[in-house]
Structures are given as structure tokens and as C-alpha cells.
Amino acid sequence: MAAEALARLAEERIDHRFKGLPPDATGRTVGELAAERRNLFDGGFATPVLALSAERLDHNLRLMETYAERHGLAFAPHGKTSMAPQLFQRQIEHGAWGITLAVPHQVWVAREFGIERVFLANELVDSAALRRIAAELAADPSFRFVCYVDSVRGVELMDAALAGAARPVDVVVELAAGDGARTGVRTEAECLAVADAVAAARGLRLVGVAGYEGEVPQATPERVGAYLRRLVALAVDFDKAGRFADTDEIVVSAGGSAWFDAVAEVFAEIPELSLPVLKLLRSGAYVSHDDGHYRKLTPFNRVPEEGALEPAFRLWAQVVSRPTGEQAFLNAGKRDAAYDLDLPFAQVIRRDGTERPATGVSVTGLSDQHAWLRTTPEADLEVGDWVGLGLSHPCTSFDKWPLIPLAEADGTVVDYIRTFF
């Protein structure tokens, strides 16, 4: 099923939906265009165009696979980062237990492409979505679905929507990362109340605990570690109370992309429980990494002996205006580049097939379709030059590009990554 669904992506026709692709490719299938192995720089691609590095993508996939193995972690990378079934499949091939998602639509995409294990890192109380989840579980015995719960009311709504379901929905109690954090139960006493509600619900089964350490207020290694130890202690207390009697393994899950070293350290301390423990890490931004937010925060900065992720995105835009010696404008803006955390970073300039560092060039702002550049006297920049931009925060980069060229270091485009947002 997964192979057939992925193969159908190659049969999709190139048309107006896909920006940046060669205009003369219209009407070809994605597979036909990929087989031509055009070059990103002289193969007719139109700026702006986002490219994903084939070599760096492969490096990041392998690095996180070995990291999870080394630390005894199951891995369910957060798919909302890319919403790219081809990358989901690559992650599964590199040892992922399943895929983490955030909302029902993302689950439907994953199921369409054959993903058999989904961890929904969110509360789910929508009755229509729950009924479809129940139908998916009934129709496919191999489908595993786990989601958060964090309130008695939420449990009651879920149970009502699941009345008569053939299989219960597996849930984990979400422990909030502290006062002022996002979702999750604030106190251990409230966690007990939510767990009691799950025990009384016919349509739900309690299988573990989970949380997101990235929401720890004023995060430091000490604060993050203390929160994760609270999460582990909650699992231990639930197990001692016999709350996991109806499952065959206990799920303990955490792990964004900024503190997975702390997750590995604390999860290594989980004591022996009455059942096997699925230590589930959910970091997802690693797949493309970035040149800003996560590059500064990656745990590999704290433990360099573990390796290093590599930024795999580059947005290519063209200088369309050079009104003064201190100013220039590119034809890429908010519709093309992530800007929710940091502006793009000018990295390289390409002219007549030659690439050089973007010395003296910086991005100072974005309009809808323009990047504002400030240039210093040493900047050598002309109208028509291509400028390669590094991006911050991959979670808001993939969503702007429904079809992304996968390019080798010399610019040869070997495939196209389809996204579904």
C-alpha cells in the first residue's frame, strides 16, 4: 500500500500548483521530470526556488537513526515538520517506530501513504475525527494509534464519540511542562483524576504518559531534567497502582528538537517496570535542520561527540532591484521563506555559474514577495544575481512549497519531495 501510494506521487502532472519548477516542464509527470536530472541552476528552474540537499538529508537521517539506537530509544519523528510522505518513508526505513503528528488531517495523510503507527502529540476531542480513527482501527488490525489526554472533560467527550468502537483508542496522560506551558495536566493529582476517567471509559485504554520538554519555562538543562524526571515518576506511580494492566507495554514519550539529549539522559534512568517500556523520542526538525533556530539549540552543540546535523534547505532567489549602493531586493518574501523566528540568512551569491560567499549582504526584512537586503561597500551584488538563503525553523519552510527539488551538491535534481499541508 505504501509503495503504491508513493509511486502515484511520481505520476502527478506538473502544473500551476508547483512554483519554482521549469516552465517548460508543465504537463510532464513528476517522475518524468526527475528522470531528466535537470540542474537547479541551468535547467530552467525559476526563482524563487527552494531546494533540499540530497546529501545532507541522508546524513541527518542516518545520524538520528544511530543516535536513537545508541541511547535505546524508539523514534517517532514529528511529521508536522515536513508533511512529506516520501520523508516519512525514509524515516521508517531508517528505523523509526512510527510518525508523530498533531492534527487529524495529518493522520489522514499518513494513513493514505501506509503509515501503520501514529503518535498524535495533541488532545483529540473532535467527534468526527474520533469516529474515523475508530473506523481505521477496526479496518486495520496492524494500525497503532496513540494520543494525548489532559482533562476529565476531554476523556468524556472522547468516550462518547467512540461508543460502540471495535477497538479502544490508546491514550497517554500529558503532563504539562510547567505553569504557563501549553497543553497538559498541571499537577500530579490532576493526572490521577484523568487516569481514573480513562479507566472508566469503555472506548479508551491508558498506555502511558507523555509531555513536551520544549515548553519548560525559562528552560535550562536543570529545569528540563527536573520536568522529565516528574514525567518518569508519574509513569512509575501509575505502574505501581496497576493502571497499565490492560496494555502490553508502557509508553513514556517526550522529545522535541532542542532537548533530546536531556530526554536520552533521563529516559536511561527509567527503572524496571511491570511491563516493557517504549521510550519514545519525537524530535522531527532534524530531517532538514536549519540555519537559525535549531542550529543554535541543537543538543549536538552540547554533546559534539555525538555528531552534528547539517542544514539541508537553501532558498534561491534573484536580485531584481538595486536602487542604491546600500540596498537591494530579492524576489522571495514571506510567501517563500520561514520568518516566524528569524529572517533568512544570505549565504552565497551565484553569477555566471560561479558561487561565492555573500560577503557584506544581510536580510533586514521581508515583504510578501520581496526580501530586503542591506549591503556594505564590500558587497559585489548586481541585478540578476542568484542569492542562496539559509532558513530558520523548518516547520514553517516545508509548508510554503508543495513540491521541493531534491538536489545533489552540484545542483543535479534527483527527485521532488511532495508536501501536504
Side-chain angles (χ1 to χ4, degrees), residues 137-209:
L137 290 167
D140 184 358
S142 65
F143 179 39
R144 178 84 191 276
F145 177 83
V146 182
C147 72
Y148 284 175
V149 290
D150 76 347
S151 69
V152 172
R153 171 65 173 163
V155 168
E156 291 170 348
L157 290 171
M158 294 181 74
D159 196 36
L162 293 167
R167 291 172 59 190
V169 169
D170 288 347
V171 297
V172 290
V173 172
E174 183 195 7
L175 177 67
D179 292 336
R182 201 163 55 191
T183 56
V185 185
R186 265 39 183 179
T187 69
E188 279 75 1
E190 292 172 297
C191 287
L192 295 176
V194 174
D196 286 341
V198 173
R202 297 174 62 87
L204 303 177
R205 180 174 69 158
L206 183 64
V207 298
V209 299

Side-chain angles (χ1 to χ4, degrees), residues 71-75 250 252-253 267-270 277-281:
H71 293 281
L73 300 168
F75 190 33
I250 299 167
V252 182
S253 180
F267 280 15
E269 302 169 2
I270 295 177
V277 178
L278 183 71
K279 303 174 183 179
L280 195 61
L281 182 70

Side-chain angles (χ1 to χ4, degrees), residues 271-294:
E272 185 174 350
L273 301 181
S274 64
L275 295 166
V277 178
L278 183 71
K279 303 174 183 179
L280 195 61
L281 182 70
R282 306 193 306 269
S283 312
Y286 82 97
V287 68
S288 63
H289 200 42
D290 65 21
D291 282 289
H293 181 69
Y294 287 119

Side-chain angles (χ1 to χ4, degrees), residues 230-250:
R230 281 183 63 203
L231 185 67
V232 169
L234 183 64
V236 171
D237 290 345
F238 277 9
D239 186 48
K240 288 179 179 177
R243 293 183 179 277
F244 301 128
D246 295 331
T247 186
D248 54 6
E249 68 178 0
I250 299 167

Side-chain angles (χ1 to χ4, degrees), residues 322 325 345-351 355-363 373-382 385-388:
R322 187 84 159 98
F345 309 92
Q347 295 178 323
V348 295
I349 298 169
R350 244 188 118 78
R351 183 190 302 162
E355 197 170 294
R356 64 183 186 281
T359 304
V361 180
S362 59
V363 180
L373 302 186
R374 179 182 294 120
T375 59
T376 60
E378 65 264 38
D380 178 13
L381 194 67
E382 296 179 354
D385 289 348
W386 283 39
V387 178

Side-chain angles (χ1 to χ4, degrees), residues 382-400:
E382 296 179 354
V383 170
D385 289 348
W386 283 39
V387 178
L389 301 172
L391 301 176
S392 178
H393 203 200
C395 299
T396 52
S397 297
F398 279 101
D399 64 340
K400 302 177 190 307

